[in-house]
Amino acid sequence: MRGPGPHELWLDPEPFLRGVAWMHEGRPVRADPADTMRLPWDTGERATLPIGVRLEFSTDSAHAVEVRYRATVPGPTDTLRDLAHGFSLWNRHGPLTEVFTEPAAESVVRLELPRQRGPFTLHPPENQSPLILGLRGIGGDLAPAPAGPRWVVHGDSITEGWWSTRPAHGWPAVAGRALGWDTVNLGYAGAARGELATAEQLATLPADRLTLAFGTNCWSRVPFSAPLLYETTRTFLDLVRQGHPRTPLLLLSPVLRPDAERTPNRLGATLGALRDAMERATRDRIAAGDGRLALLPGRDLLGPEHLADGLHPNDAGHRTLGLAVATAARRSGFDGE
């Protein structure tokens, strides 16, 4: 009886994985597993989701790829039960195909490949935390695609990709594709309030490029005054720079939030005042000699038509924001270093 050919054997997924910050017990996680006790619970909770983790590969002759995975099966009252469980295949030009299935304790999904070498990017669903167990080419071998410069992005739910309809549509994914970078998404919905433990973790994480995009939750979730956010931004940058003294770093200040722009929080700060504090802290550091730091003011990058719920961008907003970040990176010279 004939055994499986070489290309029919399951391959270890780890060489194909991109967007991985840390690994813990064989699973990608988005916070340092050795340093979870210092993080707020909401950061720790969101860090367990494989946001932005994907598979990238090329092939000479495969006409399909199969992925074996394990996912959390939502219960009847789970709020995520009705979310689409889709696997999407992209190349550098855009989406190619998509397959929807049901979350399963263990399953295999198959996607047909076009007649080209690639490289291809396969985005798994994120909401049921699928663990990729293996992949294989059908009709040919798969090879890991070369990884681009490693780009670590830290932010809140907007960075995590809320209200984008697919993992590939979030603004960090859009910008990473445009630049050819390996995007590592450390967006934490509800969090990203300038936590200094997070800054210290970023300092230890390998990165060729860095982007910080927090501040919106400093208006509401944990209210900041403008002076407090100014000093927090300076301190956050100081800590990140201890591990990345020369790494190109772009700070994106908060994007438009109409209900907060002129509305004081409990400490009397509007989002406009908080944004100004972050931008002043960044400009002051640049003026003091940090030539690898750049600022992208966020206020005018999106309009009300780009917001799905008055706060989070829709797909068009994520695309607009991602392309603006890519343009800012190019103008700062960060894409060629």
Side-chain angles (χ1 to χ4, degrees):
M1 184 175 180
R2 186 183 70 86
H7 59 267
E8 296 172 316
L9 297 173
W10 289 109
L11 302 171
D12 178 359
E14 192 160 338
F16 298 85
L17 289 174
R18 300 291 181 266
V20 176
W22 293 269
M23 295 291 290
H24 180 58
E25 298 178 348
R27 180 183 291 274
V29 294
R30 299 187 305 121
D32 186 349
D35 188 33
T36 58
M37 295 299 292
R38 295 193 304 146
L39 297 175
W41 74 267
D42 48 7
T43 303
E45 180 182 52
R46 302 307 299 181
T48 64
L49 297 177
I51 305 299
V53 176
R54 60 210 183 275
L55 297 162
E56 296 191 351
F57 61 92
S58 298
T59 180
D60 285 326
S61 54
H63 59 81
V65 59
E66 289 187 342
V67 177
R68 186 163 61 93
Y69 70 98
R70 182 179 299 135
T72 302
V73 180
T77 60
D78 194 317
T79 56
L80 301 179
R81 183 177 180 82
D82 296 330
L83 292 180
H85 195 67
F87 293 76
S88 59
L89 185 73
W90 287 61
N91 65 10
R92 62 187 181 89
H93 300 295
L96 298 171
T97 188
E98 203 165 31
V99 172
F100 292 93
T101 183
E102 294 295 326
E106 187 166 331
S107 188
V108 174
V109 64
R110 176 177 174 136
L111 293 95
E112 300 299 320
L113 299 176
R115 293 184 177 275
Q116 55 184 254
R117 281 185 47 85
F120 301 105
T121 300
L122 197 159
H123 294 270
E126 298 170 340
N127 44 290
Q128 271 84 35
S129 302
L131 174 64
I132 307 300
L133 302 174
L135 74 162
R136 63 186 179 188
I138 305 302
D141 294 327
L142 304 181
R150 183 175 165 88
W151 178 39
V152 176
V153 187
H154 168 60
D156 49 34
S157 56
I158 297 173
T159 298
E160 195 179 87
W162 276 37
W163 283 91
S164 62
T165 58
R166 300 288 188 275
H169 293 177
W171 75 259
V174 171
R177 270 195 308 276
L179 293 163
W181 294 355
D182 176 13
T183 306
V184 179
N185 189 320
L186 300 186
Y188 308 128
R193 301 171 293 259
E195 292 87 352
L196 300 186
T198 295
E200 290 182 305
Q201 292 192 10
L202 291 172
T204 67
L205 195 62
D208 300 306
R209 314 284 192 275
L210 290 160
T211 293
L212 305 178
F214 65 90
T216 297
N217 288 331
C218 298
W219 177 76
S220 57
R221 291 276 291 182
V222 176
F224 277 54
S225 66
L228 177 58
L229 189 53
Y230 176 89
E231 293 299 336
T232 298
T233 303
R234 286 176 61 92
T235 304
F236 199 99
L237 289 168
D238 284 345
L239 290 172
V240 171
R241 279 296 189 223
Q242 288 180 13
H244 295 284
R246 299 286 294 165
T247 303
L249 193 162
L250 176 69
L251 188 139
L252 168 64
S253 65
V255 298
L256 174 69
R257 180 174 176 175
D259 69 328
E261 292 298 331
R262 298 182 180 181
T263 304
N265 65 11
R266 284 182 293 167
L267 293 179
T270 65
L271 182 60
L274 294 175
R275 183 185 296 111
D276 178 69
M278 291 191 73
E279 293 176 359
R280 283 189 293 107
T282 305
R283 290 190 178 102
D284 286 351
R285 186 178 181 95
I286 294 171
D290 191 341
R292 296 295 184 97
L293 175 62
L295 171 66
L296 176 58
R299 168 61 178 82
D300 296 326
L301 298 180
L302 301 179
E305 71 278 9
H306 292 121
L307 304 179
D309 61 350
L311 170 59
H312 301 94
N314 52 28
D315 277 350
H318 275 287
R319 176 172 172 77
T320 298
L321 185 55
L323 294 179
V325 170
T327 298
R330 292 191 184 101
R331 287 176 178 170
S332 301
F334 292 176
D335 61 332
E337 297 186 15

